[in-house]
Amino acid sequence: MRLPIHLLALREGEMPWRKAVCGLIGVSLPMLVAYLMHQPYGILFGAIGGLYASFLDFGGTFRHRASTQAWGLALIFSAGIAGNLIGSGTPMLLLPLLAVLCLGVGWMDGTGAALETIARFAVLAFLIYAYLPAPPWSALWFALLGIAVGLGAVGVDSLIWPRALPRQHPGLVNSVTRVLRGRNAGWVHAVGFSATTCGALWLALDLHYTRPAWVTAVTLFVIRPDGPDSLRRLFQTAFGTLAGAAAAWLISHLMPYTWVMLVSVAVLAFLRPLAVAGNQWAASAVMTTMILLLFDVVLLPEGQGAGATILRVRLNDAMLGAMVALIGMALFNREARRHLLRQLRD
């Protein structure tokens, strides 16, 4: 068996510098406002809101870009509220509802990047807020500020460089049209995706993991109907998580000051679109570093870096999720199973 080191090579191609600039503006301004107002949770939610516009920017005219983000925000926000209500009220419904949601996500796979991304983030929001207390309302205002700033940056970009919307654009309208025409990944993939994600959550809860949503996030975002490409994403995501956790630990220990971490988060927000264009492992490393630094700012006092605990928690979550995703792909995806067996024989 050969180690797939070649999968870590960066792809060549045009880098999305304009999206990087929009990401930098969308994250930096809300964080700066929250920092000046001494609102730690505002920093976290402002950054997440600023990232939102960058995540769901698929080009095209501003009207199409804004409508995609508005519908996505409504779905993700509703899923987070539902998760919080069910988690605090009737937690026994979480697994059945997760199974239904993931069945829908898996069934819609292959219809378009916008719909697939929104659906996956909605499921992730459902799980995160099922196991976390509702954030303070002041933090939600900063999230809205981040979304507004990010959307404003996208709007300026569309005015300076207007782009027509192609017929096969990955936006929400074309994705929904493909669903209505019956173009989807099929029920075999949908059932396998749902079973694997629910299995990840059940195992995380049974092993008393403190952040079960982090475990299921791996299965949510790496499993697709494409078989060998899903295995590639799994390997790259696991490697990127290791690199990102190590980078976050180094930054928080060498320079454990809030302003340094915020500058680092802003730089990472700029690098994220470039990392996505380069390789999945680079994108995973950037996102892991960014999220862990934001949690450091919120949860730890000034001048204190994160210890080995949060590093171990993040790595354990990612490795458990990767193991469950690998088993799920081997069981439910014929092409992935054949590719995996072929690699093990070589």
Side-chain angles (χ1 to χ4, degrees), residues 92-143:
M92 292 184 65
L93 291 177
L94 278 172
L95 268 176
L97 284 176
L98 177 64
V100 173
L101 290 174
C102 289
L103 195 68
V105 173
W107 185 76
M108 291 186 299
D109 260 347
T111 56
L115 186 59
E116 295 171 20
T117 303
I118 290 171
R120 280 172 162 80
F121 274 110
V123 175
L124 184 60
F126 174 79
L127 288 175
I128 287 176
Y129 288 109
Y131 296 100
L132 286 178
W137 283 104
S138 59
L140 294 179
W141 287 114
F142 284 101

Side-chain angles (χ1 to χ4, degrees), residues 41-42 45-46 49 77 81 129 134-147:
Y41 277 95
F45 281 86
F77 188 73
I81 293 176
Y129 288 109
W137 283 104
S138 59
L140 294 179
W141 287 114
F142 284 101
L144 293 177
L145 173 63
I147 293 171

